[in-house]
Amino acid sequence: MRDAKRRADALRAAKARQRELTKPPGSLGRLEDVALVMAEVQGEPRPQARPAAALLFAADHPVTKHGISAYPSSVTAGMVGNFGRGGAAASVGAVGVLGLSLHVHDVGVDTPYAVGPPPDGISVVRHACAGETAGDLAVEDAMSPTLFAGAVRAGADAVRSLDPSPRVVILGEMGIGNTTPASAVTAALLDRPAVDVVGPGTGVDAAGLARKAAVITRALARLDDRSDPREVLRRVGGREMAALFGAALAAMDQEAIVLVDGFIVTAAILAAVRHCPDLAGHLLFAHRSGEPGHALLLDALHAEPLLDLGLRLGEGSGAIAAFGLVELACRLHAEMATFDEAALAGPSA
């Protein structure tokens, strides 16, 4: 990690530049804050948003057997194929609109899928942990210690393999049923009952919502110790959440900003921040999800998301949408003229 003095000097210089740009102080609102966060993390007075990459982690969940999702588990595999062919929202947004690369990492998809040669800018990788058996979190640990370590390592390796090293890492996920493990992790880490965090996910009806809450309550009853966020994630989380945990920490080690998507990603991020508080300084939160548990997570992380558009798709879509604002913030900060350069009078004394 860059030394603290360089980061402090960069932040000080970035704040000074903000005062010199041709605008009233603070008039660009959150865009100014984003530029300052980026400057401190990068140790550069004029930070940049590129290179950047979007990483999606996909996995299935045995807990779906309890009727907690409106879609069958086979849709996870179908969507991995859709990502790889360029037909998903994340593919269109990241690659087609923003010109970023999209890297889909299978860390636990149980149904076979076919991708074929993906379009330029898209890759699909299946990790070794994807072939191991996960548990039904309602009645047993979601991951063995070995499986959990493998999923965390897959997430870290996904970031470390990016070339060139990114300045911004967009994190997303795919997994039918994964709002249930995300809700369980949220409830456990925040010490809240299931009914406070459970939401509709893919659109379950009232009966499905009740089943979901009951499953989460059963999972929470198995957790006699919630003090270790890694153990909470291992026992009631999901393989894609473990991979997100590893990816976020690896991005921090590479001095990158993590652009956090919605509910599932944020639940994994809370576990990562509880494990490594320094990660908090490397995070930008993309949007506020429609899932009720997401508001609780954002409050716990003292996070103010950039967007509030009613999104609840997942797959990194909110973070991909917010990346344009992050890039805009950096370019405004770096490329706007100062009052001296524009030969304009600054603010009155």
Side-chain angles (χ1 to χ4, degrees), residues 200-225:
T202 51
V204 293
D205 58 15
L209 203 61
R211 288 192 297 271
K212 195 170 177 180
V215 163
I216 294 166
T217 299
R218 291 173 67 188
L220 295 175
R222 295 189 300 101
L223 293 179
D224 49 356
D225 182 5

Side-chain angles (χ1 to χ4, degrees), residues 53-93:
L55 274 61
L56 304 188
F57 297 96
D60 281 311
H61 300 269
V63 74
T64 55
K65 69 179 67 172
H66 299 288
I68 49 81
S69 175
Y71 292 84
S73 290
S74 59
V75 172
T76 304
M79 282 303 300
V80 170
N82 196 23
F83 292 132
R85 292 187 295 271
S91 314
V92 174

